[in-house]
Amino acid sequence: MKKALLVLFSLLYLAVGFVSTYHAIEFFTLSNASWLAVILAIAFEVGQATVLFSLLTSKDKSKIILYAAGKVNDELNLPDSTIEITESAFAGVRYLKKIKIGKKLTKIGRNAFPKCRSLEKISVDEGNEVFSSVDGNLYNKDKSVLIQYAIGKSDSTLDIPKTVKLIDDSACLGAKRLVEVILPPSLREISHYAFYGCESLSKIHGGKGLSYIGECAFDGCENLIELKIPKTVDFISDWAFSGCSS
């Protein structure tokens, strides 16, 4: 019985997929050559399938390769088998609000969570020996690196822990509700694109030990009006304050 239902479901899925692809080809043909329309239609269907299955992993499920950006899902508990999240795996995910990281995760690729506009909380299993969480934001274990700020939260102020030495690449990118950031005296580096596109950010305090400001670190912070660069800063990268029109 179960096998029969599975076969029936598969046939129905293939039939719907065929009809959907046929109509997609008709749609794309309106403004494209036939061969291009076919490619676009297939790409569209693959995209829809990706959203359906939502999570692309390695065969042994130890590595998260890609999460479907359009998947409508509030919360994700990563499988216990996960030991790595690859670069940009969660880039642009629109609806995810909470992510729970297990105790076995040991590696997170660069820019793993950029532009997750609804993300309110990243929690980490207390048994994890590499990563930790404070106020729903992701840090390394000793909290010397702010890896990812949960940009979907409603907080207007970010008071960075006094242990932090580095704000990682794109850590707060697109945090549109942030108005004020308090930097600790322990901070040495604000990396590339760290606060890129934080449109409401107007005040940055502290950071007396800061020495490096990365490329496009505050690019697009159009309302930034209060920032005192300490004498300890010896390098400011290109376009660090591009688009700071205020």
Side-chain angles (χ1 to χ4, degrees):
M1 182 65 179
K2 289 183 179 178
K3 185 178 289 188
L5 287 173
L6 181 61
V7 171
L8 178 60
F9 175 80
S10 299
L11 290 173
L12 286 171
Y13 181 81
L14 289 172
V16 171
F18 175 79
V19 173
S20 179
T21 304
Y22 176 76
H23 286 298
I25 290 173
E26 284 191 322
F27 172 77
F28 286 120
T29 304
L30 294 175
S31 57
N32 298 283
S34 297
W35 64 270
L36 181 57
V38 172
I39 293 173
L40 289 172
I42 292 173
F44 173 80
E45 288 304 315
V46 169
Q48 293 306 301
T50 302
V51 171
L52 176 64
F53 293 108
S54 79
L55 193 62
L56 179 63
T57 69
S58 58
K59 189 174 182 179
D60 62 0
K61 297 182 180 179
S62 66
K63 183 185 295 186
I64 302 293
I65 299 171
L66 183 68
Y67 185 85
K71 175 69 175 177
V72 181
N73 185 27
D74 286 347
E75 188 170 350
L76 175 66
N77 293 324
L78 295 183
D80 291 336
S81 56
T82 304
I83 61 174
E84 180 182 353
I85 297 174
T86 61
E87 181 174 344
S88 304
F90 289 85
V93 170
R94 296 191 288 274
Y95 304 108
L96 196 59
K97 293 182 179 181
K98 298 178 182 180
I99 297 177
K100 174 68 181 293
I101 292 173
K103 62 182 179 181
K104 293 183 180 180
L105 189 74
T106 58
K107 183 178 180 181
I108 297 177
R110 292 180 66 253
N111 302 322
F113 305 99
K115 296 185 178 181
C116 293
R117 65 187 187 188
S118 300
L119 189 58
E120 299 173 353
K121 183 179 181 181
I122 304 172
S123 57
V124 179
D125 189 292
E126 291 183 359
N128 191 296
E129 298 180 354
V130 180
F131 302 104
S132 63
S133 177
V134 177
D135 296 329
N137 304 317
L138 181 63
Y139 296 82
N140 64 342
K141 189 64 175 180
D142 66 2
K143 300 176 182 61
S144 62
V145 181
L146 170 56
I147 299 171
Q148 181 65 53
Y149 175 76
I151 68 170
K153 60 171 58 182
S154 60
D155 298 1
S156 61
T157 300
L158 171 59
D159 190 353
I160 298 174
K162 293 178 172 59
T163 52
V164 171
K165 297 179 181 178
L166 167 66
I167 299 175
D168 212 355
D169 289 358
S170 308
C172 301
L173 183 150
K176 298 184 183 300
R177 295 185 181 92
L178 265 187
V179 175
E180 182 179 19
V181 174
I182 302 171
L183 306 175
S186 60
L187 187 66
R188 297 293 177 267
E189 179 179 341
I190 298 176
S191 198
H192 310 309
Y193 296 88
F195 293 94
Y196 181 95
C198 294
E199 300 171 355
S200 301
L201 184 59
S202 61
K203 299 178 182 180
I204 299 175
H205 307 294
K208 291 182 178 180
L210 186 64
S211 61
Y212 179 90
I213 300 176
E215 181 179 323
C216 299
F218 296 95
D219 190 349
C221 296
E222 57 191 40
N223 287 298
L224 185 59
I225 57 174
E226 190 174 326
L227 167 64
K228 185 176 181 180
I229 298 176
K231 295 179 181 179
T232 52
V233 172
D234 52 30
F235 191 85
I236 299 177
S237 298
D238 294 338
W239 306 295
F241 295 96
S242 177
C244 295
S245 54
S246 295

